[in-house]
Amino acid sequence: MSNVLFLCPTHRDRREIEVLGLHHRHRIYFHDYASLILEELVANEPPTDVDLADPHDELRRILARYRGSRINGVVSTDDYPGSSLAAIVAAEFGLPGVSPAINLRCQHKYYSRLDQERLVPQAVPAFHRCEEGLPSPRSLTYPVFVKPVKSFFSVGANPVASEAELFRFREKSDLGAAFFDPFAKLLKTYAGLDLGAHSIVEDLLQGVQVTVEGYVHNGNVCVIGVVDSVMFPGTLSFQRFEYPSSLSPTVQDRMANVAKTVMAGIGFNQGLFNIEMMYNPAGDSIHIIEINPRMASQFADLYEKVDGTNTYEVLFDIALGKTPMMRRRQGRYPFAASCVMRAFENAHVVRVPDAHEIAQVQRTHPDVRVEILATPGRRLSQEMQDGSSYRYGILSIAGRNRDEALATFEQCRANLRFVLEGVDEQPDPPFLRAAGA
């Protein structure tokens, strides 16, 4: 039985570990630090009192606590600070893991763009740092996109139509010292880089957005799959994620080649990654949106449903120095989706589905995963949101095709009772069933 240190675990992590029985095969040590606090700091209504330990102090505590536990692998699915801490601790223990400097450089949107521009210039939009107090770059052609150099869930990211809007939204993309400081300290210590400007601006990308996920083991870059991102019409809010992608095999192969070139070129190794990309059919062009040096945990069971392999298995294998065994199209379903229950008005949460309702849904549809993201007694805006809408739940479903899967989603959703004061119980726009919706 291997000893695995799991840093900054989420409810989803614990659920998938139990569903897969990983806790029967491994002795898992869970250790949390700051991830929930950092998420709350970028909520629409952030807390006023924050007690956040210095990341270097926390690392010393982790190393002291687990050095004698004969840890065989270190993992995390958490974006910030989990994946960075896992890379650092793995390096300290001499275990497989991504280089801390490469992990941190990937997470910094400007430094990552510099690497991408060097390796795959055709897949990188024009970009600039938004230096405080300086005018915007004159080479910009509006509309453009401004985003923080480090964020969660696209918080602070906005399209802007003019220079005046750029200055206004640049302030919005500054998420504050309390949020940036832990990242800045780790970036300086382990990558030798200064945080610099808090935001960047780049050409606005348009087209079909996807996520290309993969891993690198012993220098071999493998692509796991391509997942389509479906937005609510006229918004930047995710409606659902679909697997397999509806893009042509040729386009997916080109995306895979971009991913392999850039990840090999930066020296990424012994870890999972996901790269958000945009395909523009009008220009037949592919561009990188951003690189995330971690697995996309929301997609883990989608691969299981379609391919027969859950990426938590891949995560543990790589951390333990094993070659992952990724199956293809050997799952129970041809199609899977992760559907977001979302409101477009803020609301007070009166009630969320109870354990009996969730159990009933899972008895009827055993492969459905249910996540509740709202908390009774709190406003939706007090949870981490994208700044323009409010998630309150996620359902991962599957079927013979999109129509069957979305019908299952509607059935499950109808049996999960949310009461949101100030909006209807079912506030989402109808899910569009047309191909590509």
Side-chain angles (χ1 to χ4, degrees), residues 76-79 82-84 87 98-99 102-109 150 263 266 268 271-275 290-296:
S76 182
T77 69
D78 178 64
D79 180 72
S83 69
S84 298
V98 178
S99 157
I102 292 171
N103 172 281
L104 289 157
R105 195 173 174 98
C106 282
Q107 292 192 61
H108 192 288
K109 305 309 178 192
K150 179 63 192 159
M263 299 314 287
I266 64 175
F268 189 95
L272 285 93
F273 64 85
N274 72 87
I275 306 178
E290 66 180 31
I291 297 174
N292 299 302
R294 56 170 176 81
M295 67 178 279

Side-chain angles (χ1 to χ4, degrees), residues 327-340:
R327 292 182 289 274
R328 302 285 181 185
R329 304 300 188 265
Q330 295 181 40
R332 297 182 60 189
Y333 303 95
F335 179 90
S338 180
C339 299
V340 183

